[in-house]
Amino acid sequence: MQTGCRRCAPCSGMCLCTTCPSQETEGETQTQRRSHVKTEAEVRRTGPPAQGPLEPQKLEEAGRTVCWSLWRDFGPAPLDLSGPALPGYQTSGRQSWDTIHFCSLKPPTLLREPQKKLIEPIHNNCRQMQTWSHDTMTYCLDKKSPIAQSQSRLLQLLGKVLPCITRPIVLKWSTTQVLGVTEQLDAGVRYLDLRVAHMPEGSENNLHFVHMVYSTALVEDTLTEISEWLESHPQEVVILACRDFDGLTDNLHEYLVACINNIFGDMLCPRGEVPTLNQLWTRGQQVILSYEEASVVSRHRELWPGIPYWWGDQVKPQELIHYLEHMKRCGRPGGLFVAGINLTENLTYILAHPSESLEKMTLPNLPYLRAWVREQCPGPGVRCTNIIAGDFIGADTFVSDVIRLNDKLLRC
């Protein structure tokens, strides 16, 4: 039996494939229905199936959304869908199937909403809420990397003259994530902040990521890793934001776009009206590619313009929240946009705290920032929020807090 049909829109009742298991006949028996659903014991042991069309309904049981197909066959007994603790943090929460399969578990009413209304880590819609990992690729910054060309000449000079002192300091204030890109996707992140750069000493077409220093990971390898994750999760949708482009020439921009097309192909959603999840599923599209270079976007219909980012540039969380509330009073942008709850160090703070790092500065302030997140509302209103970006994904309940905000849409 064919499973995971990429052309189906299971939650809208539409199917373009005659072999899709969602096409149940009226007389289908309980045994036939179980043939494409794992048993409860299997679910507890290995987790629910990664593929196959799902028909999600929002059912509250033990504070979690449960897949309707499992509920239908096994009744209201709560299922333990928790996975192992997220790597990188002993204090982190636990991964669950409803973060890994975030899109496929959306209630039908949300599946018809355009992405700009939600607030989640997924960019399902401009009205839904979604989670972004700020500076996604900083988990693999190169300890031996030179200082990026975009940084001040003084810092670049110090990096060359005193590399043993300068580079470790820069590295610990540049790292915003500890989970790899696949681990972030498994944790529920659906918006990836990809800052692309070309190293002056690198080979002609080797593109890296950058945040003050360059990454060990290559852009092409990382995009392939994301594509493979999407292939194994055919109902999940991600927004990839390609930004910065430090050192990229026109030829390198065209090379990058060619890589994007070769790797994602039909997964790419072409530019136009922000689609709903149902529309994306029907078309087999899983990637919205935001590209912050207008001249390149104008030549390629598969690219979307850059997404506005509210960056507070603040050390203290109180001042950051004050900035975000000020931006909300000014009114949200018309389409997708990001509110960043990431704290930012400055030279004064670094000199006053020589033994600290961005992680040590951020983690104690996460409860305060998380309280603000929980107060946000998705929707088209002028003071509503869309995508929320955070550092150190997996260190707390940030992702699940953002996902739960979409429950407010159901009460509208």
Side-chain angles (χ1 to χ4, degrees), residues 391-407:
D391 289 336
F392 304 105
I393 298 297
D396 65 352
T397 60
F398 167 63
V399 173
S400 57
D401 288 342
V402 174
I403 291 176
R404 288 193 197 100
L405 292 173
N406 289 309
D407 291 348

Side-chain angles (χ1 to χ4, degrees), residues 57-328:
Q57 293 284 348
K58 184 170 184 310
L59 300 171
E60 292 298 332
E61 184 66 29
R64 135 181 348 273
T65 301
V66 184
C67 178
W68 169 245
S69 63
L70 294 173
W71 178 277
R72 175 189 62 190
D73 285 341
F74 302 123
L79 299 176
D80 179 11
L81 301 179
S82 297
L86 289 171
Y89 290 100
Q90 294 182 357
T91 59
S92 66
R94 297 174 67 80
Q95 288 185 77
S96 63
W97 193 42
D98 52 3
T99 57
I100 297 176
H101 299 269
F102 174 71
C103 291
S104 61
L105 290 178
K106 282 189 177 298
T109 53
L110 295 188
L111 299 177
R112 295 186 291 270
E113 292 286 353
Q115 297 291 336
K116 61 185 178 183
K117 185 177 176 182
L118 296 181
I119 291 183
E120 330 186 26
I122 268 196
H123 307 341
N124 294 327
N125 180 313
C126 296
R127 298 182 178 182
Q128 302 177 42
M129 293 198 74
Q130 326 190 15
T131 306
W132 162 348
S133 63
H134 170 244
D135 266 305
T136 300
M137 299 303 297
T138 56
Y139 67 88
C140 61
L141 294 178
D142 190 350
K143 297 178 181 179
K144 300 179 181 180
S145 164
I147 305 298
Q149 288 180 296
S150 57
Q151 301 304 308
S152 68
R153 292 183 180 179
L154 176 60
L155 187 58
Q156 292 184 57
L157 178 61
L158 290 174
K160 293 177 181 178
V161 177
L162 299 170
C164 295
I165 298 175
T166 306
R167 289 180 183 176
I169 294 175
V170 170
L171 189 67
K172 69 180 184 176
W173 289 102
S174 300
T175 302
T176 67
Q177 307 294 339
V178 298
L179 300 184
V181 67
T182 295
E183 294 167 327
Q184 292 181 42
L185 290 167
D186 284 344
V189 171
R190 295 296 179 271
Y191 183 110
L192 302 180
D193 180 12
L194 306 177
R195 308 194 180 194
V196 181
H198 179 257
M199 290 178 60
E201 295 83 4
S203 60
E204 183 179 358
N205 288 334
N206 273 0
L207 298 179
H208 295 255
F209 301 98
V210 67
H211 189 216
M212 297 186 73
V213 292
Y214 301 99
S215 68
T216 55
L218 295 176
V219 170
E220 191 169 356
D221 293 341
T222 300
L223 295 180
T224 301
E225 183 179 352
I226 295 169
S227 174
E228 291 172 350
W229 187 91
L230 289 170
E231 287 176 356
S232 64
H233 301 81
Q235 290 180 322
E236 296 303 305
V237 178
V238 299
I239 293 179
L240 307 181
C242 292
R243 313 171 62 202
D244 277 20
F245 306 121
D246 186 8
L248 263 68
T249 61
D250 287 341
N251 287 340
L252 284 173
H253 274 293
E254 292 303 317
Y255 171 76
L256 175 57
V257 174
C259 287
I260 290 169
N261 280 298
N262 290 336
I263 292 170
F264 293 112
D266 292 338
M267 288 185 183
L268 290 168
C269 173
R271 184 170 66 252
E273 182 179 354
V274 178
T276 66
L277 267 179
N278 272 339
Q279 291 170 337
L280 291 171
W281 284 348
T282 301
R283 304 166 189 164
Q285 296 167 348
Q286 294 179 265
V287 179
I288 293 178
L289 203 300
S290 165
Y291 203 92
E292 287 195 358
E293 181 58 54
S295 61
V296 178
V297 171
S298 65
R299 298 196 296 268
H300 297 276
R301 187 170 175 267
E302 66 274 20
L303 303 180
W304 292 67
I307 297 173
Y309 186 100
W310 291 352
W311 176 48
D313 192 16
Q314 300 293 334
V315 171
K316 296 181 179 180
Q318 296 82 359
E319 294 177 357
L320 174 58
I321 298 304
H322 177 77
Y323 164 80
L324 293 174
E325 287 298 316
H326 169 74
M327 295 301 291
K328 286 172 61 179

